Amino acid sequence: MTGTSVDHEIELAYVGIEVPDPASLDGFFGEVIGLLPGDAPHSWRNDRKARRVIVERGEANDVSFLAFEAIDAEAFDRIVARLRSAGFAAVDGEASARNVSRIVQTTAPWGASVEVVLGLEDAATPFESPLMPGGFLTDGVGFGHAVFATTSFDESHRFLVEGLGLCQSDWLEMEVVEGIELEVRFYHCNARHHTVALARAPFDLPQKLHHLMFETNTVDDVGAAFDRAWATDLGIPNGLGRHDNDGMFSFYVASPAGFQVEIGHGAKVITEPWDQDRRYDKISAWGHQALR
Ligand SMILES: [Fe+2]
């Protein structure tokens, strides 16, 4: 990463997805996105860590948990104390179930379990994916980002900022069609422009998880992933384009479970002091048209 590095306490560790048939996402994560199988059935990795996406059987058809890894024991203790002083529970969990050394669990106001962990285990082998030869950008920034839609927008903002200690990077406010406003707020906890974003939902949507993002190290790996997605019959809600705020060159493919995955490259890096927390009024500088 370039720029003045940000002092950071946490990074995105892993995400849990609950679907009726976990095998229904195997081809999507393995052959379209280019992740490698993790150390548990239907779990996936995008770097040296043993697991980054954990797909489990259940009826939710949505995100079930999201975990943040503390960079050391002191950071872990600070986050637990911060959660509690902000009025959020932080209950000891079962560390062995996640192959971590410490874990606390809380519930995000958008309705998913959130875990703070220490010591996320490395995989036994290096990350080498023939479909993603350049690999993914995760060092010091976690596996990617996650975007949720919620009717509990203000409390979710407070949870991220006062509870977990994330900082707002910027926000998007625009009229998508006459009378319908879109508001999305973007939050960082390290050099990645945003690790979590929240969209204000006008009513409860079928899924809280809008998308997961994986950032590649090379621009060609975005193009090759687009080719693979295009060769399927999966929806492409947004073709190649560049976001206005984080500057990421990316596209979005709809997973068989409905939530989307963004594959991108070249996003803006957070540097300190961060003085670019401002409103944007368009999602994309160019592109990102709905293709199918
Ligand atoms: Fe995104």
Side-chain angles (χ1 to χ4, degrees):
M1 316 274 318
T2 54
T4 310
S5 64
V6 177
D7 274 343
H8 77 288
E9 290 186 323
I10 53 172
E11 38 192 86
L12 203 54
Y14 52 82
V15 63
I17 305 282
E18 193 181 291
V19 290
D21 176 14
S24 66
L25 291 174
D26 285 356
F28 177 73
F29 281 125
E31 287 153 38
V32 179
I33 307 302
L35 306 186
L36 292 181
D39 63 348
H42 313 297
S43 73
W44 299 94
R45 46 189 287 232
N46 76 333
D47 65 356
R48 65 188 169 83
K49 296 290 185 180
R51 75 208 69 89
R52 292 301 204 173
V53 179
I54 301 163
V55 183
E56 295 178 324
R57 189 179 305 277
E59 295 307 312
N61 206 53
D62 202 353
V63 61
S64 46
F65 53 85
L66 185 74
F68 295 86
E69 181 180 16
I71 58 157
D72 56 30
E74 291 71 33
F76 183 92
D77 291 337
R78 275 196 301 275
I79 295 153
V80 171
R82 191 188 293 126
L83 276 169
R84 288 178 177 152
S85 73
F88 298 99
V91 179
D92 286 336
E94 203 183 319
S96 61
R98 301 276 194 242
N99 282 342
V100 293
S101 56
R102 294 174 71 186
I103 183 170
V104 293
Q105 289 173 309
T106 186
T107 303
W110 62 82
S113 172
V114 165
E115 304 174 353
V116 179
V117 302
L118 183 66
L120 181 61
E121 213 172 53
D122 280 349
T125 54
F127 182 85
E128 282 167 10
S129 168
L131 296 181
M132 198 52 75
F136 292 95
L137 179 65
T138 64
D139 266 357
V141 291
F143 80 76
H145 71 225
V147 179
F148 302 98
T150 179
T151 52
S152 302
F153 187 83
D154 297 330
E155 185 64 357
S156 294
H157 172 91
R158 198 177 77 78
F159 173 77
L160 290 173
V161 173
E162 293 176 25
L164 287 174
L166 276 70
C167 297
Q168 182 172 299
S169 308
D170 48 49
W171 76 98
L172 172 70
E173 231 180 303
M174 62 180 287
E175 198 171 39
V176 274
V177 289
E178 208 184 317
I180 305 287
E181 283 278 327
L182 174 68
E183 180 180 353
V184 186
R185 291 186 180 266
F186 301 83
Y187 305 88
H188 63 267
C189 51
N190 49 52
R192 188 182 296 291
H193 173 272
H194 57 283
T195 287
V196 179
L198 297 173
R200 190 189 290 274
F203 45 82
D204 281 321
L205 302 171
Q207 288 181 321
K208 298 181 269 281
L209 178 62
H210 180 268
H211 72 269
L212 297 174
M213 186 286 301
F214 301 99
E215 185 168 3
T216 67
N217 286 319
T218 74
V219 70
D220 282 337
D221 282 348
V222 177
F226 179 82
D227 282 354
R228 291 194 299 274
W230 185 248
T232 68
D233 57 5
L234 295 167
I236 312 274
N238 304 96
L240 293 164
R242 189 177 296 281
H243 282 306
D244 199 24
N245 67 333
D246 72 355
M248 182 174 275
F249 168 71
S250 66
F251 74 96
Y252 293 65
V253 54
S255 77
F259 67 84
Q260 300 171 17
V261 166
E262 177 182 17
I263 301 289
H265 171 76
K268 188 186 286 179
V269 168
I270 297 286
T271 51
E272 297 289 3
W274 183 250
D275 58 1
Q276 298 175 54
D277 181 8
R278 65 170 180 91
R279 177 189 170 203
Y280 288 79
D281 61 5
K282 59 181 189 289
I283 296 173
S284 305
W286 57 266
H288 284 149
Q289 290 89 350
L291 296 188
R292 69 179 184 216

